[in-house]
Amino acid sequence: GSTRITRRSVGGGGIAGVHDPMLSLLLHNLVQQGGRPRGGAVDGMDYEQLLQAFGDGTENMGAQDSQINRLPTRELDNPESELPEDARQCLICLEDFASGETRITMPCLHGFHKDCAQKW
């Protein structure tokens, strides 16, 4: 066989089984264009052609405040003793967590400064 992609009409026309909105948008565009981006192969496209084929990313406006506010947060007293070494840095600003800062944990278990996550 062949791989079959089916379109789902619930929730704005995403691709069934794809939960990432940007990936769903890209797949939807490819399916609508017969499996290839407008203008031909991606490797040969310039910046303007890529923007035309896939958009500029402004369609993805991030999570809603209500979704962010439901994520677990924790005010840190001593990050070095409270967090494993590989979790002591905000993965957005790349700064180490400091005492008194609030760390928010995403469903993937990555941690960010709460302010960084809200801006991002």
Side-chain angles (χ1 to χ4, degrees), residues 76 83-98 101-120:
L76 300 170
L83 299 171
E85 188 175 343
D86 63 349
R88 294 180 191 157
Q89 186 181 63
C90 173
L91 297 174
I92 295 174
C93 72
L94 303 180
E95 295 288 326
D96 289 340
F97 290 104
E101 291 182 328
T102 302
R103 182 179 189 269
I104 189 166
T105 304
M106 302 304 255
C108 61
L109 301 181
H110 289 123
F112 307 113
H113 290 111
K114 186 173 183 181
D115 291 339
C116 291
Q118 288 174 325
K119 290 176 192 173
W120 186 54

Side-chain angles (χ1 to χ4, degrees), residues 26-82:
L26 290 172
L27 288 172
H28 173 75
N29 286 343
L30 285 173
V31 169
Q32 292 300 309
Q33 297 161 18
R36 65 185 199 300
R38 288 177 293 207
V42 173
D43 291 340
M45 297 174 103
D46 65 23
Y47 179 73
E48 294 300 322
Q49 290 169 322
L50 288 168
L51 282 178
Q52 184 180 6
F54 297 110
D56 64 4
T58 58
E59 302 85 7
N60 184 4
M61 301 305 290
Q64 297 175 356
D65 286 338
S66 62
Q67 294 171 310
I68 294 171
N69 291 334
R70 285 183 286 200
L71 294 171
T73 60
R74 179 175 176 191
E75 186 171 330
L76 300 170
D77 292 321
N78 184 348
E80 288 191 22
S81 66
E82 295 175 56

